[in-house]
Amino acid sequence: MAKYKNKKVIVAGHEFDSNLEAKRYEELLHLGAEGRIKDLRLQPEFELIPPFYIGKKKFRRAVYRADFAYIDTVTGKEVVEDAKGF
């Protein structure tokens, strides 16, 4: 069963966890076509903590996975988004 009872949605060959996330993807595609954003990435990962050892015990890395990341062509800044319904 999906978290929050969302249904998987497929848009342009990509599977999304919710209708909200799929709609945001479509909006971002339009913004890209208009040249307002570029370099759209889906499910980008950002390493928060690299793997490390304490003594001989290894701890795995901590990763944040966003829904989308892209470059805003007006500001030149990277934008990282999560599509949430709450």
Side-chain angles (χ1 to χ4, degrees), residues 49-68:
I49 303 171
F52 63 96
Y53 288 87
I54 295 179
K56 292 186 179 187
K57 183 171 181 174
K58 182 178 182 180
F59 292 84
R60 62 185 174 155
R61 69 187 189 135
V63 176
Y64 165 66
R65 182 177 291 127
D67 290 332
F68 309 104

Side-chain angles (χ1 to χ4, degrees), residues 45-84:
E45 284 189 356
F46 299 90
E47 185 174 70
L48 303 176
I49 303 171
F52 63 96
Y53 288 87
I54 295 179
K56 292 186 179 187
K57 183 171 181 174
K58 182 178 182 180
F59 292 84
R60 62 185 174 155
R61 69 187 189 135
V63 176
Y64 165 66
R65 182 177 291 127
D67 290 332
F68 309 104
Y70 54 87
I71 303 297
D72 181 321
T73 57
V74 175
T75 65
K77 294 184 178 180
E78 181 177 36
V79 178
V80 178
E81 288 188 13
D82 268 324
K84 300 291 179 230

Side-chain angles (χ1 to χ4, degrees), residues 1-14:
M1 178 178 266
K3 192 174 185 180
Y4 305 117
K5 299 183 182 178
N6 291 332
K7 293 182 181 178
K8 299 278 185 183
V9 179
I10 297 176
V11 175
H14 299 286

